[in-house]
Amino acid sequence: MVRVVDVARAVLAPLTRTRVFRRWGPIVLPSVERFVTRLTGGRVQLSGLLVPSLVLHTTGARSGEPRDAPLMYTPDGQGRAIVAGTNFAGERHPAWTTNLLAHPDAAITVRARRMRVHASLIADTERDAVWARIERQWPGYRGYERDSGRTVRLFRLQPIADDAP
């Protein structure tokens, strides 16, 4: 039996590659995402209804201030996650990628559970395999990289064990 999520992905995935979505998605979606997150106390992310989603908590590269970014992620086994800095196929890298390069120790919240992670940039030799994994989850997602004209930064987020007993 086909799951509702699979049907929704099949319908929505092509829409996310349109000019209209790329123009208005970055403007509308973050506000809607924040509203739903506040409304549910962080237990529900709008994007999480279709794909695995998390909130990445970074430290600003220049400001040193805490920054949050809701993101789609791809599970990578052993609790690890892969995130892609597609920025809706924009010409510039999203700020959260610059933050991770400057401060790779960060945190994520998944289903209202917060955990510390260490981010590492995916090596060039792994990029094709990682993109293939991502596209099994969201077909055509690498098109954002092609359309942006830049090499999208891919990160692996590795959980860090808490020091507390």
Side-chain angles (χ1 to χ4, degrees), residues 8-155:
R9 280 182 192 165
V11 170
L12 292 175
L15 297 176
T16 65
R17 294 187 291 275
T18 65
R19 285 187 181 148
V20 171
F21 180 83
R22 289 180 182 167
R23 169 70 175 104
W24 292 102
I27 295 167
V28 174
L29 290 179
S31 297
V32 173
E33 195 75 71
R34 279 191 299 276
F35 174 76
V36 171
T37 299
R38 268 190 233 128
L39 186 69
T40 64
R43 289 182 304 279
V44 175
Q45 280 183 260
L46 186 61
S47 55
L49 299 175
L50 294 174
V51 292
S53 297
L54 56 79
V55 176
L56 176 66
H57 309 284
T58 61
T59 301
R62 288 186 298 230
S63 71
E65 295 293 319
R67 303 287 185 225
D68 294 343
L71 303 171
M72 175 184 103
Y73 77 93
T74 300
D76 193 33
Q78 301 163 353
R80 296 178 305 204
I82 296 169
V83 290
T86 58
N87 205 21
F88 296 91
E91 294 175 1
R92 298 175 59 185
H93 293 287
W96 64 263
T97 66
T98 303
N99 295 345
L100 283 181
L101 290 172
H103 305 283
D105 289 326
I108 59 173
T109 300
V110 180
R111 288 184 231 103
R113 182 174 170 241
R114 189 176 175 122
M115 66 187 84
R116 295 183 318 131
V117 295
H118 181 80
S120 56
L121 199 57
I122 302 286
D124 288 345
T125 56
E126 290 184 79
R127 290 181 59 78
D128 287 336
V130 168
W131 272 118
R133 178 177 281 244
I134 292 169
E135 285 198 305
R136 280 193 296 275
Q137 176 178 290
W138 195 259
Y141 198 57
R142 193 171 191 177
Y144 278 9
E145 181 174 62
R146 287 187 292 276
D147 295 346
S148 73
R150 62 183 169 82
T151 300
V152 164
R153 294 173 178 159
L154 300 173
F155 290 90

